[in-house]
């Protein structure tokens, strides 16, 4: 990708900041439920 | 009535009651929730000098005069009235003639002296070449978003 | 009308298996749509005539703001169903929506601030739209906190459902705030009647992003509902079967490695 692309017409911190925060939130929503399921299954298995 | 029907009525009553309370609340507080006044409000109703308030409108095309340093003067208009504005400070990137802005400051001898200017852009997005072929390309924005506070309050 | 499918879906083990089959497809579809939406928004879409490249924040801001409202309605409706029909599945859906909705409300606020600074000239202003969206975040956090404060799951669900329903008044306020009041925030682009407020090549990635975000939320809520069901139904036969299956998978994996 060209330097112009990364500079976003001078708005790089705002555009990339927004997409960065968004990536974190999307990933958290995709991954967190799976991790919690593993934790629940483990704790329930210990209770058995 | 079965228990379930009673609960259904209770939930429906709760929602209806809240909606009613909200309607009354907002009719009473509508004026306080307004973010800015418009030039019409200021021109038609006398505002105390030195009362800090926000003024929103479109920068009249052809009215912008740049003075020394960061000093600028322009007139701000809604759909009906306009008002001269003076400002000394950094303008947002979107500031230009025809643009919607919201200025914070006070009235002084018929001029609104601002100490902060924010840009209010509209909800239209298009590439530059398409903008050129449309009427809006000459920088004309709709004055509709600038609603008179006094008239809304009734 | 035949309601057996509804009652079957409402039973925890059936719903669990239904979610287990549906969720992966939602996840894949969301991933593909979002990949196109972000590539389209960052690379394919032309810069705006006024806002230049700063307008690209719209591709993360608008989907987040849209689901922040939709998920609240889902949460409140699930809460009402839970209150009226005492349906366990509805209680689980309600509490599953809260963290997902809260995260996207926070995202809408954060991206809005990052958009507001370069365009308006301020990160934050107390206008009607921004204030009511902040109230929405507090309502989500209230539901999450209230749920955590109760020992008994049934009592927790009842309290949360009431709070969710009471907070429902805020939803139309967020949506119509820009029309009812003078605000710094602009009006709605995609729900505007009449001529399109956004050109087609800018709109396509936006619609893909909206759909992808809704699908990702559906995925996250299904998975979280499954988790709640496992906890609420622990000790029952179907949960034991799930535990046995999970243990079997893990042992199988251990042998391979």
């Amino acid at each position: 990708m060209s330097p112009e692309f990364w500079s976003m017409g001078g708005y790089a911190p705002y555009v990339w900041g927004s997409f960065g925060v968004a990536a974190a939130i999307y990933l958290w929503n995709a991954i967190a439920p799976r991790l919690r399921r593993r934790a629940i299954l483990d704790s329930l298995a210990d209770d058995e | 009535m079965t228990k379930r029907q009673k609960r259904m009525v209770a939930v429906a009553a709760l929602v209806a009651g809240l909606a009613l309370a909200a309607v009354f609340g907002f009719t009473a507080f509508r004026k306080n929730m307004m973010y800015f006044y418009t030039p019409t409000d200021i021109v038609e109703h006398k505002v105390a000098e030195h009362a800090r308030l926000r003024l929103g409108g479109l920068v009249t095309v052809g009215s912008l005069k740049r003075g020394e340093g960061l000093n600028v003067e322009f007139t701000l208009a809604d759909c009906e009235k306009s008002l001269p504005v003076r400002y000394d400070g950094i303008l947002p990137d979107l500031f230009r003639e025809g643009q919607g802005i919201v200025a914070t400051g006070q009235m002084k001898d018929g001029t609104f002296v601002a100490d902060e200017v924010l840009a209010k852009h509209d909800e239209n997005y298009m590439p530059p070449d398409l903008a050129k072929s449309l009427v809006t390309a000459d920088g004309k924005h709709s004055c509709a978003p600038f609603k008179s506070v006094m008239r809304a309050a009734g | 009308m035949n309601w057996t499918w509804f009652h079957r879906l409402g039973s925890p083990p059936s719903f669990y298996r239904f979610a287990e089959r549906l969720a992966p497809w939602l996840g894949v579809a969301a991933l593909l749509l979002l990949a196109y939406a972000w590539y389209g928004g960052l690379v394919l879409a032309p810069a705006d005539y006024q806002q230049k490249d700063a307008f690209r924040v719209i591709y993360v801001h608008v989907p987040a703001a849209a689901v922040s409202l939709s998920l609240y309605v889902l949460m409140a409706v699930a809460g009402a169903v839970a209150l009226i029909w005492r349906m366990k599945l509805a209680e689980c859906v309600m509490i599953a929506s809260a963290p997902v909705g809260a995260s996207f409300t926070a995202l809408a606020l954060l991206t809005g601030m990052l958009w507001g600074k370069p365009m308006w000239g301020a990160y934050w202003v107390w206008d009607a739209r921004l204030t009511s969206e902040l109230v929405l975040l507090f309502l989500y956090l209230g539901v999450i906190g209230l749920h955590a404060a109760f020992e008994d799951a049934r009592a927790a669900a009842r309290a949360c459902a009431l709070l969710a329903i009471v907070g429902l008044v805020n939803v139309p306020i967020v949506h119509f705030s820009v029309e009812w009041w003078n605000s710094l925030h602009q009006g709605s682009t995609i729900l505007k009647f009449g001529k399109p407020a956004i050109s087609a090549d800018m709109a396509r990635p936006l619609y893909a992003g909206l759909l992808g975000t809704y699908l990702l939320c559906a995925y996250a809520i299904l998975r979280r509902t499954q988790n709640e069901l496992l906890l609420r139904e622990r000790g029952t036969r179907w949960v034991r079967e799930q535990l046995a299956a999970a243990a079997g998978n893990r042992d199988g994996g251990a042998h391979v490695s």
Side-chain angles (χ1 to χ4, degrees), chain B residues 4 7 18 26 30 33-36 94 99 118-121 123-128 131 141 145 147, chain C residues 48-51 83-86 120 125 173 179-183 185-187 189 192 197-199 202:
Chain B
R4 185 201 296 161
R7 289 197 295 262
L18 281 167
F26 291 117
R30 183 140 191 245
M33 291 284 290
M34 290 291 192
Y35 188 65
F36 53 79
L94 279 185
Q99 177 69 42
L118 300 178
K120 175 174 164 57
H121 63 79
E123 65 276 23
N124 300 304
Y125 307 93
M126 61 192 109
H141 289 263
K147 301 175 270 277
Chain C
D48 181 57
Y49 77 114
Q50 273 212 312
Q51 302 190 33
L83 273 187
I84 295 168
W85 284 279
R86 298 284 146 92
W120 297 345
V125 294
I173 295 175
E179 288 166 37
W180 290 345
W181 294 291
N182 275 332
S183 68
H185 197 286
Q186 67 281 11
T189 297
K192 191 173 150 180
I198 180 166
S199 79
M202 291 170 161

Side-chain angles (χ1 to χ4, degrees), chain C residues 158-172:
Chain C
R158 213 169 296 172
C160 290
L162 275 175
L163 176 58
I165 293 168
V166 169
L168 201 55
V169 269
N170 189 44
V171 171

Side-chain angles (χ1 to χ4, degrees), chain A residues 7-15, chain B residues 59 64 66 70 87 89-102 116-122 141, chain C residues 48-55 114-122:
Chain A
S7 75
M8 280 288 157
Y11 295 115
Y14 306 108
V15 175
Chain B
V59 180
L64 181 64
R66 288 184 191 273
L70 292 169
Y87 175 63
I90 295 165
L91 291 164
D93 290 7
L94 279 185
F95 185 90
R96 63 200 68 172
E97 291 185 340
Q99 177 69 42
I101 64 150
V102 175
E116 184 191 43
V117 169
L118 300 178
K120 175 174 164 57
H121 63 79
D122 62 20
H141 289 263
Chain C
D48 181 57
Y49 77 114
Q50 273 212 312
Q51 302 190 33
K52 307 285 181 287
D53 285 313
F55 107 99
L114 288 170
W115 196 1
K117 183 62 186 169
M119 291 297 105
W120 297 345

Side-chain angles (χ1 to χ4, degrees), chain B residues 123-124, chain C residues 188-198 207:
Chain B
E123 65 276 23
N124 300 304
Chain C
S188 174
T189 297
I190 47 171
L191 293 176
K192 191 173 150 180
F193 292 106
K195 64 172 187 193
I198 180 166
Y207 291 136

Side-chain angles (χ1 to χ4, degrees), chain A residues 1 4-5 7-11 13-23 25-34 36-38 40-45 47-48, chain C residues 16 20 34 38 42-43 51 53-54 56-57 60 99-100 103-104 107 110-111 114 117-119 213 216 219-220 223-224 226-228 230-231 234 239-240 243 246 250:
Chain A
M1 287 292 170
E4 295 100 84
F5 172 72
S7 75
M8 280 288 157
Y11 295 115
Y14 306 108
V15 175
W16 295 116
S18 295
F19 277 80
V21 180
I25 299 236
Y26 278 95
L27 275 177
W28 178 78
N29 273 299
I31 293 167
R34 297 227 63 134
R36 179 150 159 75
R37 162 138 84 169
R38 198 161 303 160
I40 289 171
L41 287 175
D42 284 347
S43 83
L44 289 185
D47 291 347
E48 293 281 300
Chain C
Y16 189 94
E20 195 69 16
L34 288 168
W38 283 31
L42 286 169
V43 181
Q51 302 190 33
D53 285 313
R56 297 183 194 281
V57 178
V60 286
V100 183
S103 70
F104 279 103
L107 180 61
L110 286 169
T111 53
L114 288 170
K117 183 62 186 169
M119 291 297 105
T213 306
L216 180 81
Y219 171 88
R223 288 297 193 205
R224 283 178 183 277
Q226 284 186 307
N227 292 345
E228 291 301 316
L230 283 176
L231 277 175
R234 60 172 168 257
V239 172
R240 279 166 196 229
L243 281 177
R250 208 159 305 167

Side-chain angles (χ1 to χ4, degrees), chain C:
Chain C
M1 201 163 165
N2 191 349
W3 283 96
T4 41
W5 65 269
F6 183 75
H7 290 293
R8 198 174 301 153
L9 198 63
S11 97
S14 312
F15 184 87
Y16 189 94
R17 280 189 285 271
F18 166 74
E20 195 69 16
R21 248 179 294 161
L22 183 60
W25 295 103
L26 291 177
V28 170
L31 187 70
L32 292 175
L33 280 164
L34 288 168
Y36 164 71
W38 283 31
Y39 180 73
L42 286 169
V43 181
L44 300 180
D48 181 57
Y49 77 114
Q50 273 212 312
Q51 302 190 33
K52 307 285 181 287
D53 285 313
F55 107 99
R56 297 183 194 281
V57 178
I58 201 175
Y59 295 103
V60 286
H61 179 73
V62 165
V67 296
S68 77
L69 287 178
S70 304
L71 294 191
Y72 196 91
V73 174
L74 171 70
M75 183 172 80
V77 168
V81 171
L83 273 187
I84 295 168
W85 284 279
R86 298 284 146 92
M87 196 172 159
K88 202 181 273 181
L89 176 63
E91 293 174 4
C92 293
V93 169
M94 172 187 69
I95 196 59
S97 332
V100 183
S103 70
F104 279 103
T105 309
L107 180 61
L109 288 168
L110 286 169
T111 53
M113 291 170 83
L114 288 170
W115 196 1
K117 183 62 186 169
M119 291 297 105
W120 297 345
Y123 283 111
W124 186 266
V125 294
W126 292 100
D127 85 342
R129 170 56 73 78
L130 278 69
T131 309
S132 54
E133 183 77 8
L134 186 65
V135 169
L136 188 71
L137 178 64
F138 291 151
L139 283 168
Y140 275 121
L141 296 180
V143 168
I144 295 169
L146 198 57
H147 190 259
F150 278 85
E151 201 68 47
D152 175 50
R154 269 267 129 99
R158 213 169 296 172
C160 290
L162 275 175
L163 176 58
I165 293 168
V166 169
L168 201 55
V169 269
N170 189 44
V171 171
I173 295 175
V174 175
H175 182 74
F176 292 109
S177 52
V178 289
E179 288 166 37
W180 290 345
W181 294 291
N182 275 332
S183 68
L184 192 58
H185 197 286
Q186 67 281 11
S188 174
T189 297
I190 47 171
L191 293 176
K192 191 173 150 180
F193 292 106
K195 64 172 187 193
I198 180 166
S199 79
D201 44 357
M202 291 170 161
R204 271 187 298 268
L206 186 59
Y207 291 136
L210 274 164
L211 187 57
T213 306
Y214 272 100
L215 293 182
L216 180 81
C217 288
Y219 171 88
I221 290 171
L222 280 182
R223 288 297 193 205
R224 283 178 183 277
T225 305
Q226 284 186 307
N227 292 345
E228 291 301 316
L229 286 172
L230 283 176
L231 277 175
R232 292 286 293 273
E233 297 265 285
R234 60 172 168 257
T236 61
R237 219 178 86 185
W238 76 267
V239 172
R240 279 166 196 229
E241 283 169 12
Q242 293 298 329
L243 281 177
N249 282 344
R250 208 159 305 167
D251 290 348
H255 285 303
V256 174
S257 66

